[in-house]
Amino acid sequence: MLEATHIRKSFGDTRVLKDVSLRVSRGEVVAIIGRSGSGKSTLLRCLNDLETVDGGEIRIGGQALVTMQAGQPVYKKDGERRALMLKMGMVFQSYHLFPHCSVLRNLTMPQKLVLGRGDGEAEAKARDLLAKVGLSDKAGAYPCQLSGGQCQRVAIARALCMDPDILCFDEPTSALDPQLTQEVLGVIRRLAQEKRTMIVVTHEMRFARDVADRVIYMEDGVVVQDGPAQEVLGDHRSDAIRAFAGE
Amino acid sequence: MRYFNNPEALLRLVSSMQEGFAITLTIFFATLLFSIPLGMVIALLRMNRHRAVSVPVSLYILVMRGTPLMLQIFAIYFAVPMLTGHNLERMTATILAFSLNYAAYFAEIFRGGIMSIPVGQYEACRVLGMRRSQTFFYVVLPQVFKRVLLPVSNEVITLVKDTSLANVIAVGELFRAAKNEASRTASIEPLFVAGLFYLIMNGLVTLFFNRLTQRMSYYRD
Ligand SMILES: Nc1ncnc2c1ncn2[C@@H]1O[C@H](COP(=O)(O)OP(=O)(O)O)[C@@H](O)[C@H]1O
Ligand SMILES: [Mg+2]
């Protein structure tokens, strides 16, 4: 479903990703954990084409976003590139809802502009997904009238409206208090039960262990561990993980 | 006093200034009509990543904001015919000078507004698959509109008063009409009447922007 190999990325002199590889199969939920500054967000941003890689290849659903040619990363041409990225969805830590649009319009506008859906179809889809995240009664509200947890659920619904094959989350609950965190994690949990393919960067270790099929632990721009959640976070977890979890 | 204690004379004075007021209004609305879209174009060119575009545009803004509008009016009215061999109508020169000048101010206001939109908004659009033009027109511009209302209202209020500068090339706008009347009757009162016209007009401008601000308060960001 998604394959990233030997990803390298630097900002100036800072090498943020040093040869990171990642595979995600259909229906799999992958949690990425690691200290702040270890490169988790940068990795997710590379996968979503918000950053260009300095080296490495990315394939989404078998199609190449970027390949190495003569030692240099070469990206697909603009039109194909945008079309390919429609397979990916992304949910940010700070939601990035459109403040000037109602909740409903946040969900319908991208569908109409990007997928060319009509008013009726876009609205039906939006209402369907609002119901799914438990916010049917907020269709007419504006983002400023919602709690952080509600905003994040709207952001998830907005991403789902575009029917992505893979949904990425970058610390979706880090801006939320514990109760709101649970309401957002609950939504992600339900998506996992529906066998949606997801990559979740998170600090919620319990969530990672319970919901993720696989856990990736990153340190200083490299993947230190990559395995089944039970293996990485279970009773036999490594010293590195114990240290990270502050045990 | 010649007018303020004589309602009939005052009324005659006011109606004699009507034509000047109409010209003032023409300069005002024509300038807004041209300078706002032009200002948006200049703002975007100013932010162009190619220095070959952004540097000349910065220079343009510097000259327009850095020299007196009065000089610019003269320059366009007298220099353009010399350079091109075509005479410019006084009103055409006036509106051209005002539009080019105000566009520079609007451009900087719009640029500030555009730069104040968080990068997260662009990234959200990007991951949703929106094109750059869609992002600009559907997400950025509507939010910029709200953010620039206050500085734009300042500019518009200044414009109301600046229209009086057109009298330097003998455009018969409100201030010139008042001045002529004042010297004809050796009274200063017509100038105060003109002042009252500007004040009332700016009262209306203020009211308009207050309404607009209220209309836009349906969301906070
Ligand atoms: N746009 C950027 N410019 C410069 N440095 C950056 C940029 N984005 C991230 N970094 C640096 O890259 C490193 C990894 O950042 P990030 O991927 O956000 O880590 P994480 O998400 O794991 O906390 C940090 O040291 C950060 O300062
Ligand atoms: Mg991060």
Side-chain angles (χ1 to χ4, degrees):
Chain A
M1 184 94 269
L2 177 94
E3 190 176 13
T5 46
H6 307 299
I7 302 297
R8 284 183 289 112
K9 175 71 185 174
S10 301
F11 293 109
D13 290 336
T14 335
R15 291 169 65 210
V16 177
L17 297 177
K18 311 164 187 166
D19 194 16
V20 171
S21 295
L22 170 79
R23 284 183 74 112
V24 182
S25 344
R26 184 178 291 281
E28 196 175 30
V29 179
V30 175
I32 302 180
I33 59 171
R35 257 179 256 286
S36 156
S38 56
K40 309 179 297 294
S41 296
T42 306
L43 175 59
L44 224 49
R45 293 170 58 82
C46 287
L47 298 179
N48 282 278
D49 202 17
L50 289 173
E51 305 281 358
T52 51
V53 302
D54 297 334
E57 306 198 333
I58 298 174
R59 279 191 184 70
I60 301 162
Q63 283 175 281
L65 167 68
V66 52
T67 53
M68 293 300 278
Q69 286 168 27
Q72 287 299 316
V74 177
Y75 275 88
K76 261 219 160 76
K77 288 208 190 61
D78 266 355
E80 293 174 72
R81 188 166 167 176
R82 198 176 38 244
L84 180 57
M85 292 322 293
L86 286 179
K87 292 177 187 292
M88 302 289 290
M90 172 98 164
V91 174
F92 300 91
Q93 179 178 331
S94 37
Y95 339 124
H96 302 326
L97 295 177
F98 305 134
H100 61 299
C101 298
S102 68
V103 165
L104 186 65
R105 190 158 162 71
N106 262 277
L107 271 58
T108 53
M109 182 178 59
Q111 293 185 64
K112 290 195 263 185
L113 292 178
V114 177
L115 304 176
R117 288 182 182 154
D119 286 332
E121 187 187 1
E123 185 172 336
K125 180 93 186 170
R127 290 196 184 279
D128 188 34
L129 283 158
L130 276 182
K132 182 172 231 156
V133 299
L135 289 174
S136 290
D137 54 333
K138 297 292 184 192
Y142 283 83
C144 61
Q145 300 166 323
L146 304 180
S147 73
Q150 290 170 332
C151 281
Q152 194 58 294
R153 282 144 68 197
V154 172
I156 294 172
R158 182 175 68 176
L160 289 171
C161 276
M162 307 304 285
D163 294 321
D165 290 341
I166 303 173
L167 192 51
C168 301
F169 299 79
D170 190 3
E171 302 196 28
T173 62
S174 291
L176 306 176
D177 64 35
Q179 192 196 334
L180 300 182
T181 294
Q182 286 317 311
E183 94 192 18
V184 171
L185 293 184
V187 169
I188 303 177
R189 214 178 282 262
R190 250 174 293 143
L191 295 174
Q193 281 158 8
E194 294 172 10
K195 287 284 154 218
R196 274 193 182 270
T197 315
M198 295 189 285
I199 306 173
V200 188
V201 171
T202 183
H203 287 299
E204 301 288 331
M205 304 293 272
R206 244 196 48 176
F207 169 81
R209 195 186 57 212
D210 297 349
V211 177
D213 301 301
R214 241 173 67 224
V215 174
I216 290 175
Y217 172 63
M218 284 180 68
E219 223 175 72
D220 270 339
V222 294
V223 171
V224 175
Q225 267 187 292
D226 178 350
Q230 281 310 320
E231 202 169 285
V232 178
L233 296 178
D235 291 341
H236 300 290
R237 56 192 176 275
S238 68
D239 290 344
I241 296 283
R242 285 180 196 274
F244 167 66
E247 294 170 17
Chain B
M1 277 198 285
R2 188 180 287 268
Y3 297 100
F4 289 162
N5 55 2
N6 182 347
E8 214 171 297
L10 186 62
L11 207 64
R12 248 181 292 122
L13 170 65
V14 167
S15 65
S16 79
M17 288 164 68
Q18 260 178 13
E19 198 180 332
F21 186 56
I23 295 176
T24 291
L25 284 180
T26 308
I27 300 172
F28 174 77
F29 284 113
T31 300
L32 288 183
L33 182 71
F34 295 122
S35 64
I36 289 179
L38 183 60
M40 183 53 78
V41 172
I42 294 173
L44 293 174
L45 292 175
R46 171 70 184 77
M47 291 188 293
N48 192 288
R49 63 194 130 99
H50 299 293
R51 286 176 58 84
V53 177
S54 67
V55 169
V57 171
S58 308
L59 275 177
Y60 171 84
I61 293 173
L62 179 65
V63 171
M64 284 299 161
R65 297 199 309 171
T67 60
L69 175 53
M70 193 190 288
L71 172 60
Q72 293 165 20
I73 297 169
F74 276 127
I76 287 179
Y77 184 56
F78 292 111
V80 169
M82 277 196 280
L83 293 174
T84 65
H86 291 286
N87 274 331
L88 274 185
E89 295 266 350
R90 291 174 201 282
M91 265 307 256
T92 314
T94 301
I95 290 170
L96 187 61
F98 271 80
S99 299
L100 293 176
N101 177 275
Y102 270 78
Y105 285 95
F106 283 132
E108 286 296 87
I109 293 174
F110 296 157
R111 186 165 71 97
I114 292 171
M115 291 195 311
S116 77
I117 302 300
V119 63
Q121 292 288 302
Y122 292 91
E123 296 190 339
C125 293
R126 182 96 188 272
V127 297
L128 289 165
M130 290 167 63
R131 291 167 188 277
R132 280 164 51 125
S133 60
Q134 293 173 331
T135 302
F136 182 73
F137 286 110
Y138 288 88
V139 174
V140 177
L141 204 51
Q143 294 183 64
V144 167
F145 182 82
K146 174 170 172 157
R147 289 179 184 216
V148 300
L149 273 183
L150 207 59
V152 164
S153 76
N154 258 336
E155 250 5 272
V156 174
I157 283 172
T158 304
L159 173 61
V160 168
K161 297 171 292 178
D162 273 357
T163 52
S164 62
L165 285 172
N167 93 81
V168 299
I169 54 167
V171 171
E173 44 69 56
L174 178 61
F175 195 77
R176 189 177 190 84
K179 215 171 62 174
N180 287 346
E181 199 62 19
S183 51
R184 195 177 63 80
T185 61
S187 157
I188 196 175
E189 288 162 64
L191 296 182
F192 287 115
V193 172
L196 208 60
F197 267 94
Y198 291 113
L199 188 62
I200 291 171
M201 207 169 143
N202 269 332
L204 293 175
V205 168
T206 304
L207 213 62
F208 173 77
F209 276 97
N210 286 350
R211 283 272 183 83
L212 212 52
T213 304
Q214 210 147 46
R215 276 271 291 276
M216 292 308 292
S217 67
Y218 69 90
Y219 79 90
R220 275 180 296 112
D221 33 22

